[in-house]
Amino acid sequence: MEKFVDISGAPNPKGRYCQACHLRKVEQKHRAALAREQSCIRKLKIVYGKYWRHYAAPEHFHATLQDERDFCPYCGTRFDDVIPDPFNESPVHIDHMDPLDKGGEHSIRNVVLCCGPCNIKKGKRSFMQWLEMLEPPCRDLAKTLYVEKHGHPPEAFVEGCPTARNAYELELALYQSEAALKKQYPQPKVNGPPSNQPTPSQGGDAPPEEPKETSGGQA
């Protein structure tokens, strides 16, 4: 007998779709989202060159993050089996490995999908403090993921000024065509990743100037 589901995929004998049709629609939407995100990446490379990952706000890359894994890297629970925290009903959260309030980037380099209970438990702890709370197998996995995403171990992170979740400038760029962006940015607009250290106007020393990059690529 054919199983029917509602629009969310939950079993419902009066549902609109059969289960197989629903799964096909979900897969089609996911592939379409991945295609849009690939377009975003091409535009980011035009604007930010090889440092694009540092400026790629995670809210624009949900499908890409979903493809990384189907379980929480901090506890091993499959996302489909997560029991939501009573204070937050969302079973899956985006976690900033280096917390924003400690100067962690608001970028896909600095985020993973994790279960809601783990993200709430982690709170604003540094990643090193959080690793100490994990079971050994998950601790090893979490540290490996951190190094893969950041290109350095968590011990190397330098705390700094809080980071805002502001992607307004990025969103303006993403709504333009690639051709328009290439005219506007014949060369990448940045010559390095964003700094979380105080600027001179905030009472800090000016960071040393880095040589300007003239070629694109991935960081």
Side-chain angles (χ1 to χ4, degrees), residues 37-77:
E37 291 174 14
Q38 286 299 312
S39 174
C40 288
I41 290 174
R42 292 194 297 271
K43 293 176 181 180
L44 284 166
K45 287 180 178 179
I46 294 170
V47 179
Y48 299 105
K50 70 177 185 178
Y51 299 104
W52 70 270
R53 290 182 183 274
H54 295 268
Y55 298 89
E59 57 263 35
H60 294 286
F61 294 93
H62 285 289
T64 300
L65 291 170
Q66 288 172 0
D67 270 4
E68 290 183 348
R69 66 195 59 81
D70 62 355
F71 63 92
C72 176
Y74 299 148
C75 68
T77 304

mmCIF file of all heavy atoms in Angstrom, residues 37-77:
data_model
loop_
_atom_site.group_PDB
_atom_site.id
_atom_site.type_symbol
_atom_site.label_atom_id
_atom_site.label_comp_id
_atom_site.label_asym_id
_atom_site.label_seq_id
_atom_site.Cartn_x
_atom_site.Cartn_y
_atom_site.Cartn_z
ATOM 1 N N GLU A 37 23.841 28.209 -4.699
ATOM 2 C CA GLU A 37 24.999 28.462 -3.839
ATOM 3 C C GLU A 37 26.304 28.427 -4.633
ATOM 4 O O GLU A 37 27.239 29.164 -4.322
ATOM 5 C CB GLU A 37 25.003 27.462 -2.686
ATOM 6 C CG GLU A 37 23.848 27.725 -1.721
ATOM 7 C CD GLU A 37 23.693 26.681 -0.631
ATOM 8 O OE1 GLU A 37 24.622 25.871 -0.437
ATOM 9 O OE2 GLU A 37 22.635 26.675 0.035
ATOM 10 N N GLN A 38 26.373 27.599 -5.666
ATOM 11 C CA GLN A 38 27.544 27.612 -6.535
ATOM 12 C C GLN A 38 27.651 28.948 -7.264
ATOM 13 O O GLN A 38 28.756 29.475 -7.472
ATOM 14 C CB GLN A 38 27.472 26.454 -7.534
ATOM 15 C CG GLN A 38 27.755 25.090 -6.927
ATOM 16 C CD GLN A 38 29.147 24.996 -6.330
ATOM 17 O OE1 GLN A 38 30.136 25.371 -6.968
ATOM 18 N NE2 GLN A 38 29.228 24.508 -5.097
ATOM 19 N N SER A 39 26.503 29.507 -7.645
ATOM 20 C CA SER A 39 26.500 30.833 -8.261
ATOM 21 C C SER A 39 27.002 31.877 -7.270
ATOM 22 O O SER A 39 27.775 32.782 -7.640
ATOM 23 C CB SER A 39 25.086 31.187 -8.735
ATOM 24 O OG SER A 39 25.029 32.523 -9.204
ATOM 25 N N CYS A 40 26.592 31.751 -6.014
ATOM 26 C CA CYS A 40 27.072 32.678 -4.977
ATOM 27 C C CYS A 40 28.588 32.600 -4.838
ATOM 28 O O CYS A 40 29.261 33.620 -4.691
ATOM 29 C CB CYS A 40 26.421 32.338 -3.633
ATOM 30 S SG CYS A 40 24.672 32.760 -3.500
ATOM 31 N N ILE A 41 29.126 31.386 -4.895
ATOM 32 C CA ILE A 41 30.573 31.207 -4.751
ATOM 33 C C ILE A 41 31.315 31.895 -5.889
ATOM 34 O O ILE A 41 32.328 32.570 -5.678
ATOM 35 C CB ILE A 41 30.922 29.708 -4.687
ATOM 36 C CG1 ILE A 41 30.435 29.112 -3.366
ATOM 37 C CG2 ILE A 41 32.437 29.496 -4.830
ATOM 38 C CD1 ILE A 41 30.592 27.607 -3.259
ATOM 39 N N ARG A 42 30.816 31.740 -7.109
ATOM 40 C CA ARG A 42 31.470 32.395 -8.248
ATOM 41 C C ARG A 42 31.482 33.915 -8.062
ATOM 42 O O ARG A 42 32.481 34.583 -8.366
ATOM 43 C CB ARG A 42 30.759 32.025 -9.548
ATOM 44 C CG ARG A 42 30.927 30.560 -9.942
ATOM 45 C CD ARG A 42 30.500 30.318 -11.378
ATOM 46 N NE ARG A 42 29.081 30.590 -11.587
ATOM 47 C CZ ARG A 42 28.115 29.688 -11.436
ATOM 48 N NH1 ARG A 42 28.414 28.452 -11.031
ATOM 49 N NH2 ARG A 42 26.851 30.006 -11.675
ATOM 50 N N LYS A 43 30.389 34.464 -7.554
ATOM 51 C CA LYS A 43 30.318 35.910 -7.334
ATOM 52 C C LYS A 43 31.251 36.338 -6.191
ATOM 53 O O LYS A 43 31.911 37.382 -6.279
ATOM 54 C CB LYS A 43 28.878 36.316 -7.027
ATOM 55 C CG LYS A 43 27.941 36.138 -8.210
ATOM 56 C CD LYS A 43 26.499 36.463 -7.849
ATOM 57 C CE LYS A 43 25.565 36.265 -9.039
ATOM 58 N NZ LYS A 43 24.162 36.585 -8.711
ATOM 59 N N LEU A 44 31.319 35.525 -5.153
ATOM 60 C CA LEU A 44 32.212 35.840 -4.035
ATOM 61 C C LEU A 44 33.670 35.857 -4.486
ATOM 62 O O LEU A 44 34.468 36.691 -4.037
ATOM 63 C CB LEU A 44 32.027 34.812 -2.917
ATOM 64 C CG LEU A 44 30.766 34.965 -2.063
ATOM 65 C CD1 LEU A 44 30.538 33.704 -1.234
ATOM 66 C CD2 LEU A 44 30.863 36.176 -1.158
ATOM 67 N N LYS A 45 34.027 34.944 -5.371
ATOM 68 C CA LYS A 45 35.399 34.895 -5.869
ATOM 69 C C LYS A 45 35.737 36.142 -6.674
ATOM 70 O O LYS A 45 36.879 36.619 -6.652
ATOM 71 C CB LYS A 45 35.604 33.643 -6.720
ATOM 72 C CG LYS A 45 35.660 32.352 -5.913
ATOM 73 C CD LYS A 45 35.866 31.148 -6.811
ATOM 74 C CE LYS A 45 35.980 29.874 -6.006
ATOM 75 N NZ LYS A 45 36.157 28.661 -6.858
ATOM 76 N N ILE A 46 34.742 36.685 -7.384
ATOM 77 C CA ILE A 46 34.971 37.921 -8.137
ATOM 78 C C ILE A 46 35.245 39.075 -7.173
ATOM 79 O O ILE A 46 36.165 39.877 -7.379
ATOM 80 C CB ILE A 46 33.754 38.251 -9.024
ATOM 81 C CG1 ILE A 46 33.587 37.196 -10.118
ATOM 82 C CG2 ILE A 46 33.903 39.642 -9.647
ATOM 83 C CD1 ILE A 46 32.275 37.307 -10.884
ATOM 84 N N VAL A 47 34.455 39.159 -6.108
ATOM 85 C CA VAL A 47 34.546 40.301 -5.186
ATOM 86 C C VAL A 47 35.700 40.155 -4.199
ATOM 87 O O VAL A 47 36.413 41.124 -3.917
ATOM 88 C CB VAL A 47 33.217 40.473 -4.416
ATOM 89 C CG1 VAL A 47 33.309 41.648 -3.443
ATOM 90 C CG2 VAL A 47 32.055 40.681 -5.384
ATOM 91 N N TYR A 48 35.914 38.937 -3.677
ATOM 92 C CA TYR A 48 36.876 38.750 -2.592
ATOM 93 C C TYR A 48 38.085 37.888 -2.960
ATOM 94 O O TYR A 48 38.946 37.660 -2.112
ATOM 95 C CB TYR A 48 36.169 38.122 -1.380
ATOM 96 C CG TYR A 48 35.062 38.991 -0.831
ATOM 97 C CD1 TYR A 48 33.732 38.678 -1.059
ATOM 98 C CD2 TYR A 48 35.354 40.136 -0.089
ATOM 99 C CE1 TYR A 48 32.708 39.482 -0.565
ATOM 100 C CE2 TYR A 48 34.349 40.947 0.409
ATOM 101 C CZ TYR A 48 33.028 40.607 0.168
ATOM 102 O OH TYR A 48 32.009 41.411 0.652
ATOM 103 N N GLY A 49 38.146 37.410 -4.195
ATOM 104 C CA GLY A 49 39.305 36.642 -4.616
ATOM 105 C C GLY A 49 39.488 35.379 -3.801
ATOM 106 O O GLY A 49 38.526 34.716 -3.419
ATOM 107 N N LYS A 50 40.737 35.044 -3.514
ATOM 108 C CA LYS A 50 41.025 33.785 -2.821
ATOM 109 C C LYS A 50 40.590 33.796 -1.351
ATOM 110 O O LYS A 50 40.611 32.756 -0.690
ATOM 111 C CB LYS A 50 42.507 33.452 -2.919
ATOM 112 C CG LYS A 50 43.427 34.364 -2.117
ATOM 113 C CD LYS A 50 44.863 33.877 -2.249
ATOM 114 C CE LYS A 50 45.811 34.674 -1.382
ATOM 115 N NZ LYS A 50 47.203 34.159 -1.482
ATOM 116 N N TYR A 51 40.165 34.944 -0.856
ATOM 117 C CA TYR A 51 39.707 35.031 0.533
ATOM 118 C C TYR A 51 38.190 34.899 0.654
ATOM 119 O O TYR A 51 37.615 35.227 1.689
ATOM 120 C CB TYR A 51 40.168 36.356 1.147
ATOM 121 C CG TYR A 51 41.668 36.509 1.180
ATOM 122 C CD1 TYR A 51 42.310 37.344 0.271
ATOM 123 C CD2 TYR A 51 42.442 35.811 2.093
ATOM 124 C CE1 TYR A 51 43.698 37.479 0.280
ATOM 125 C CE2 TYR A 51 43.824 35.942 2.113
ATOM 126 C CZ TYR A 51 44.439 36.774 1.205
ATOM 127 O OH TYR A 51 45.807 36.896 1.214
ATOM 128 N N TRP A 52 37.531 34.439 -0.410
ATOM 129 C CA TRP A 52 36.066 34.448 -0.441
ATOM 130 C C TRP A 52 35.443 33.688 0.708
ATOM 131 O O TRP A 52 34.379 34.073 1.212
ATOM 132 C CB TRP A 52 35.570 33.899 -1.779
ATOM 133 C CG TRP A 52 35.770 32.423 -1.996
ATOM 134 C CD1 TRP A 52 36.854 31.820 -2.564
ATOM 135 C CD2 TRP A 52 34.862 31.381 -1.649
ATOM 136 N NE1 TRP A 52 36.688 30.462 -2.589
ATOM 137 C CE2 TRP A 52 35.469 30.164 -2.038
ATOM 138 C CE3 TRP A 52 33.603 31.340 -1.058
ATOM 139 C CZ2 TRP A 52 34.861 28.926 -1.851
ATOM 140 C CZ3 TRP A 52 32.989 30.108 -0.870
ATOM 141 C CH2 TRP A 52 33.617 28.923 -1.259
ATOM 142 N N ARG A 53 36.041 32.592 1.143
ATOM 143 C CA ARG A 53 35.440 31.810 2.232
ATOM 144 C C ARG A 53 35.310 32.623 3.518
ATOM 145 O O ARG A 53 34.405 32.392 4.318
ATOM 146 C CB ARG A 53 36.261 30.555 2.503
ATOM 147 C CG ARG A 53 36.191 29.510 1.399
ATOM 148 C CD ARG A 53 37.008 28.275 1.769
ATOM 149 N NE ARG A 53 37.011 27.305 0.703
ATOM 150 C CZ ARG A 53 36.078 26.379 0.527
ATOM 151 N NH1 ARG A 53 35.077 26.308 1.385
ATOM 152 N NH2 ARG A 53 36.151 25.530 -0.478
ATOM 153 N N HIS A 54 36.213 33.551 3.729
ATOM 154 C CA HIS A 54 36.174 34.376 4.940
ATOM 155 C C HIS A 54 34.964 35.315 4.951
ATOM 156 O O HIS A 54 34.571 35.813 6.009
ATOM 157 C CB HIS A 54 37.444 35.223 5.048
ATOM 158 C CG HIS A 54 38.699 34.427 5.227
ATOM 159 N ND1 HIS A 54 39.215 34.108 6.460
ATOM 160 C CD2 HIS A 54 39.539 33.872 4.310
ATOM 161 C CE1 HIS A 54 40.323 33.413 6.304
ATOM 162 N NE2 HIS A 54 40.542 33.257 5.009
ATOM 163 N N TYR A 55 34.403 35.583 3.771
ATOM 164 C CA TYR A 55 33.311 36.542 3.648
ATOM 165 C C TYR A 55 31.993 35.879 3.265
ATOM 166 O O TYR A 55 30.999 36.565 3.025
ATOM 167 C CB TYR A 55 33.684 37.605 2.608
ATOM 168 C CG TYR A 55 34.905 38.409 2.990
ATOM 169 C CD1 TYR A 55 36.189 37.983 2.619
ATOM 170 C CD2 TYR A 55 34.792 39.575 3.742
ATOM 171 C CE1 TYR A 55 37.314 38.701 2.988
ATOM 172 C CE2 TYR A 55 35.919 40.305 4.110
ATOM 173 C CZ TYR A 55 37.180 39.860 3.730
ATOM 174 O OH TYR A 55 38.294 40.575 4.106
ATOM 175 N N ALA A 56 31.977 34.548 3.208
ATOM 176 C CA ALA A 56 30.782 33.807 2.796
ATOM 177 C C ALA A 56 29.883 33.572 4.009
ATOM 178 O O ALA A 56 30.092 32.643 4.791
ATOM 179 C CB ALA A 56 31.183 32.476 2.159
ATOM 180 N N ALA A 57 28.876 34.425 4.170
ATOM 181 C CA ALA A 57 27.970 34.322 5.314
ATOM 182 C C ALA A 57 27.210 32.991 5.260
ATOM 183 O O ALA A 57 26.651 32.636 4.216
ATOM 184 C CB ALA A 57 27.001 35.497 5.331
ATOM 185 N N PRO A 58 27.173 32.241 6.350
ATOM 186 C CA PRO A 58 26.593 30.885 6.321
ATOM 187 C C PRO A 58 25.121 30.829 5.971
ATOM 188 O O PRO A 58 24.653 29.808 5.458
ATOM 189 C CB PRO A 58 26.848 30.367 7.746
ATOM 190 C CG PRO A 58 27.067 31.587 8.584
ATOM 191 C CD PRO A 58 27.712 32.578 7.676
ATOM 192 N N GLU A 59 24.363 31.906 6.212
ATOM 193 C CA GLU A 59 22.938 31.864 5.897
ATOM 194 C C GLU A 59 22.670 31.718 4.405
ATOM 195 O O GLU A 59 21.560 31.390 3.998
ATOM 196 C CB GLU A 59 22.211 33.102 6.439
ATOM 197 C CG GLU A 59 22.758 34.422 5.961
ATOM 198 C CD GLU A 59 23.719 35.046 6.951
ATOM 199 O OE1 GLU A 59 24.461 34.286 7.612
ATOM 200 O OE2 GLU A 59 23.744 36.283 7.047
ATOM 201 N N HIS A 60 23.696 31.936 3.571
ATOM 202 C CA HIS A 60 23.546 31.774 2.131
ATOM 203 C C HIS A 60 23.973 30.383 1.660
ATOM 204 O O HIS A 60 23.972 30.115 0.447
ATOM 205 C CB HIS A 60 24.370 32.825 1.383
ATOM 206 C CG HIS A 60 23.894 34.222 1.591
ATOM 207 N ND1 HIS A 60 22.742 34.720 1.014
ATOM 208 C CD2 HIS A 60 24.392 35.236 2.350
ATOM 209 C CE1 HIS A 60 22.567 35.970 1.384
ATOM 210 N NE2 HIS A 60 23.544 36.307 2.194
ATOM 211 N N PHE A 61 24.338 29.491 2.592
ATOM 212 C CA PHE A 61 24.902 28.203 2.191
ATOM 213 C C PHE A 61 24.329 27.035 2.995
ATOM 214 O O PHE A 61 25.045 26.118 3.386
ATOM 215 C CB PHE A 61 26.430 28.240 2.331
ATOM 216 C CG PHE A 61 27.084 29.193 1.373
ATOM 217 C CD1 PHE A 61 27.355 30.493 1.757
ATOM 218 C CD2 PHE A 61 27.385 28.805 0.076
ATOM 219 C CE1 PHE A 61 27.934 31.385 0.878
ATOM 220 C CE2 PHE A 61 27.962 29.704 -0.812
ATOM 221 C CZ PHE A 61 28.246 30.989 -0.419
ATOM 222 N N HIS A 62 23.012 27.067 3.214
ATOM 223 C CA HIS A 62 22.382 25.995 3.995
ATOM 224 C C HIS A 62 22.531 24.634 3.329
ATOM 225 O O HIS A 62 22.836 23.631 3.985
ATOM 226 C CB HIS A 62 20.898 26.314 4.214
ATOM 227 C CG HIS A 62 20.644 27.382 5.224
ATOM 228 N ND1 HIS A 62 20.843 27.186 6.570
ATOM 229 C CD2 HIS A 62 20.215 28.673 5.090
ATOM 230 C CE1 HIS A 62 20.542 28.297 7.224
ATOM 231 N NE2 HIS A 62 20.171 29.216 6.351
ATOM 232 N N ALA A 63 22.317 24.567 2.018
ATOM 233 C CA ALA A 63 22.397 23.273 1.325
ATOM 234 C C ALA A 63 23.822 22.715 1.362
ATOM 235 O O ALA A 63 24.032 21.520 1.560
ATOM 236 C CB ALA A 63 21.924 23.416 -0.120
ATOM 237 N N THR A 64 24.803 23.586 1.182
ATOM 238 C CA THR A 64 26.204 23.160 1.236
ATOM 239 C C THR A 64 26.542 22.611 2.612
ATOM 240 O O THR A 64 27.201 21.569 2.742
ATOM 241 C CB THR A 64 27.131 24.340 0.899
ATOM 242 O OG1 THR A 64 26.833 24.813 -0.420
ATOM 243 C CG2 THR A 64 28.584 23.924 0.968
ATOM 244 N N LEU A 65 26.075 23.285 3.648
ATOM 245 C CA LEU A 65 26.335 22.823 5.015
ATOM 246 C C LEU A 65 25.619 21.503 5.287
ATOM 247 O O LEU A 65 26.159 20.613 5.959
ATOM 248 C CB LEU A 65 25.895 23.888 6.024
ATOM 249 C CG LEU A 65 26.729 25.176 6.039
ATOM 250 C CD1 LEU A 65 26.059 26.246 6.907
ATOM 251 C CD2 LEU A 65 28.135 24.899 6.553
ATOM 252 N N GLN A 66 24.414 21.350 4.759
ATOM 253 C CA GLN A 66 23.669 20.103 4.949
ATOM 254 C C GLN A 66 24.394 18.920 4.311
ATOM 255 O O GLN A 66 24.332 17.799 4.818
ATOM 256 C CB GLN A 66 22.261 20.224 4.355
ATOM 257 C CG GLN A 66 21.335 21.124 5.144
ATOM 258 C CD GLN A 66 20.026 21.371 4.415
ATOM 259 O OE1 GLN A 66 19.800 20.866 3.313
ATOM 260 N NE2 GLN A 66 19.153 22.172 5.026
ATOM 261 N N ASP A 67 25.089 19.169 3.207
ATOM 262 C CA ASP A 67 25.792 18.095 2.510
ATOM 263 C C ASP A 67 27.053 17.640 3.239
ATOM 264 O O ASP A 67 27.617 16.598 2.907
ATOM 265 C CB ASP A 67 26.161 18.538 1.093
ATOM 266 C CG ASP A 67 25.078 18.207 0.083
ATOM 267 O OD1 ASP A 67 24.014 17.701 0.501
ATOM 268 O OD2 ASP A 67 25.283 18.450 -1.117
ATOM 269 N N GLU A 68 27.516 18.410 4.220
ATOM 270 C CA GLU A 68 28.756 18.036 4.908
ATOM 271 C C GLU A 68 28.590 16.757 5.724
ATOM 272 O O GLU A 68 29.472 15.906 5.746
ATOM 273 C CB GLU A 68 29.227 19.192 5.809
ATOM 274 C CG GLU A 68 29.728 20.389 5.027
ATOM 275 C CD GLU A 68 30.260 21.494 5.924
ATOM 276 O OE1 GLU A 68 30.034 21.447 7.155
ATOM 277 O OE2 GLU A 68 30.907 22.414 5.396
ATOM 278 N N ARG A 69 27.445 16.625 6.420
ATOM 279 C CA ARG A 69 27.194 15.407 7.211
ATOM 280 C C ARG A 69 25.745 15.412 7.670
ATOM 281 O O ARG A 69 25.100 16.462 7.691
ATOM 282 C CB ARG A 69 28.151 15.295 8.403
ATOM 283 C CG ARG A 69 27.983 16.352 9.475
ATOM 284 C CD ARG A 69 29.150 16.399 10.416
ATOM 285 N NE ARG A 69 30.379 16.677 9.703
ATOM 286 C CZ ARG A 69 30.744 17.905 9.332
ATOM 287 N NH1 ARG A 69 29.983 18.949 9.614
ATOM 288 N NH2 ARG A 69 31.846 18.108 8.655
ATOM 289 N N ASP A 70 25.254 14.233 8.046
ATOM 290 C CA ASP A 70 23.862 14.115 8.501
ATOM 291 C C ASP A 70 23.773 13.798 9.994
ATOM 292 O O ASP A 70 22.770 13.284 10.465
ATOM 293 C CB ASP A 70 23.124 13.047 7.687
ATOM 294 C CG ASP A 70 23.735 11.654 7.866
ATOM 295 O OD1 ASP A 70 24.784 11.527 8.536
ATOM 296 O OD2 ASP A 70 23.164 10.686 7.313
ATOM 297 N N PHE A 71 24.826 14.121 10.719
ATOM 298 C CA PHE A 71 24.838 13.876 12.163
ATOM 299 C C PHE A 71 25.581 14.999 12.867
ATOM 300 O O PHE A 71 26.345 15.749 12.246
ATOM 301 C CB PHE A 71 25.502 12.527 12.482
ATOM 302 C CG PHE A 71 26.962 12.460 12.080
ATOM 303 C CD1 PHE A 71 27.965 12.805 12.975
ATOM 304 C CD2 PHE A 71 27.320 12.066 10.801
ATOM 305 C CE1 PHE A 71 29.303 12.753 12.605
ATOM 306 C CE2 PHE A 71 28.651 12.012 10.417
ATOM 307 C CZ PHE A 71 29.650 12.356 11.315
ATOM 308 N N CYS A 72 25.351 15.119 14.159
ATOM 309 C CA CYS A 72 26.018 16.160 14.955
ATOM 310 C C CYS A 72 27.475 15.762 15.192
ATOM 311 O O CYS A 72 27.735 14.687 15.737
ATOM 312 C CB CYS A 72 25.294 16.346 16.286
ATOM 313 S SG CYS A 72 26.110 17.533 17.386
ATOM 314 N N PRO A 73 28.428 16.608 14.815
ATOM 315 C CA PRO A 73 29.835 16.254 15.022
ATOM 316 C C PRO A 73 30.260 16.297 16.485
ATOM 317 O O PRO A 73 31.329 15.799 16.822
ATOM 318 C CB PRO A 73 30.583 17.313 14.201
ATOM 319 C CG PRO A 73 29.667 18.492 14.202
ATOM 320 C CD PRO A 73 28.281 17.922 14.168
ATOM 321 N N TYR A 74 29.405 16.868 17.344
ATOM 322 C CA TYR A 74 29.772 17.017 18.740
ATOM 323 C C TYR A 74 29.299 15.876 19.631
ATOM 324 O O TYR A 74 29.846 15.659 20.715
ATOM 325 C CB TYR A 74 29.220 18.333 19.289
ATOM 326 C CG TYR A 74 29.749 19.569 18.598
ATOM 327 C CD1 TYR A 74 28.958 20.710 18.465
ATOM 328 C CD2 TYR A 74 31.039 19.609 18.079
ATOM 329 C CE1 TYR A 74 29.439 21.845 17.839
ATOM 330 C CE2 TYR A 74 31.526 20.741 17.451
ATOM 331 C CZ TYR A 74 30.720 21.859 17.331
ATOM 332 O OH TYR A 74 31.210 22.989 16.707
ATOM 333 N N CYS A 75 28.250 15.158 19.185
ATOM 334 C CA CYS A 75 27.750 14.044 19.999
ATOM 335 C C CYS A 75 27.479 12.790 19.187
ATOM 336 O O CYS A 75 27.264 11.715 19.741
ATOM 337 C CB CYS A 75 26.494 14.450 20.774
ATOM 338 S SG CYS A 75 25.049 14.743 19.718
ATOM 339 N N GLY A 76 27.475 12.917 17.848
ATOM 340 C CA GLY A 76 27.267 11.767 16.987
ATOM 341 C C GLY A 76 25.813 11.439 16.690
ATOM 342 O O GLY A 76 25.529 10.513 15.932
ATOM 343 N N THR A 77 24.861 12.180 17.262
ATOM 344 C CA THR A 77 23.439 11.909 17.035
ATOM 345 C C THR A 77 23.039 12.286 15.608
ATOM 346 O O THR A 77 23.370 13.380 15.137
ATOM 347 C CB THR A 77 22.569 12.713 18.020
ATOM 348 O OG1 THR A 77 22.961 12.413 19.355
ATOM 349 C CG2 THR A 77 21.093 12.377 17.836
#
